[in-house]
Amino acid sequence: QVQLVESGGRLVHAGGPLKLSCTAPGGTFSHYDIAWFRQAPGQEREFVASITWTGATTDFADPVEGRFTISRDNAKNTANLQMNSLKPEDTAVYYCAARWAFREGSDYDYWGQGTQVTVLS
């Protein structure tokens, strides 16, 4: 089992930065790919960004490409999502998720409870 806890969500104004963090209090963090998803009211949950277990590869959804960065520190059992140039359409509950890195096609089976990000125009 992997326990994940998100933090950092708050109300911000458009154009501003915000950093979200995902931590694994149990320390079982390495060898898992980490991803961020978000879900806005009335919308389906969508992929935001991901980072592989070593941090060597990252991926971003088109709406956030060039604005968001993702990083991780396995020694600290932490992954971060740095969001810049925020837009009102970024408003959503943001979730971090983990999947075992050594099974092809594995799902993101472990999820945090989410943190609310609200961007005012």
Side-chain angles (χ1 to χ4, degrees):
Q1 290 288 335
V2 178
Q3 292 180 285
L4 303 173
V5 180
E6 304 96 336
S7 63
R10 64 179 180 89
L11 187 150
V12 297
H13 293 283
L18 187 66
K19 185 175 76 175
L20 306 181
S21 295
C22 176
T23 62
T28 55
F29 199 73
S30 62
H31 294 185
Y32 287 87
D33 298 335
I34 300 295
W36 288 90
F37 294 80
R38 66 187 183 186
Q39 186 167 23
Q43 303 293 318
E44 295 183 340
R45 184 175 62 235
E46 65 175 352
F47 169 81
V48 177
S50 66
I51 185 167
T52 52
W53 69 284
T54 65
T57 303
T58 60
D59 191 28
F60 299 92
D62 288 343
V64 307
E65 182 73 48
R67 297 190 297 120
F68 292 8
T69 59
I70 188 170
S71 62
R72 69 188 297 162
D73 186 340
N74 287 345
K76 297 180 179 179
N77 299 298
T78 300
N80 296 317
L81 182 70
Q82 177 65 54
M83 305 182 292
N84 299 312
S85 302
L86 283 166
K87 304 175 181 180
E89 51 263 44
D90 294 319
T91 295
V93 177
Y94 284 71
Y95 301 89
C96 65
R99 71 180 179 185
W100 180 247
F102 301 100
R103 183 179 178 87
E104 187 175 359
S106 63
D107 294 329
Y108 286 96
D109 294 326
Y110 308 99
W111 296 79
Q113 294 299 305
T115 185
Q116 176 71 50
V117 174
T118 302
V119 184
L120 298 178
S121 61

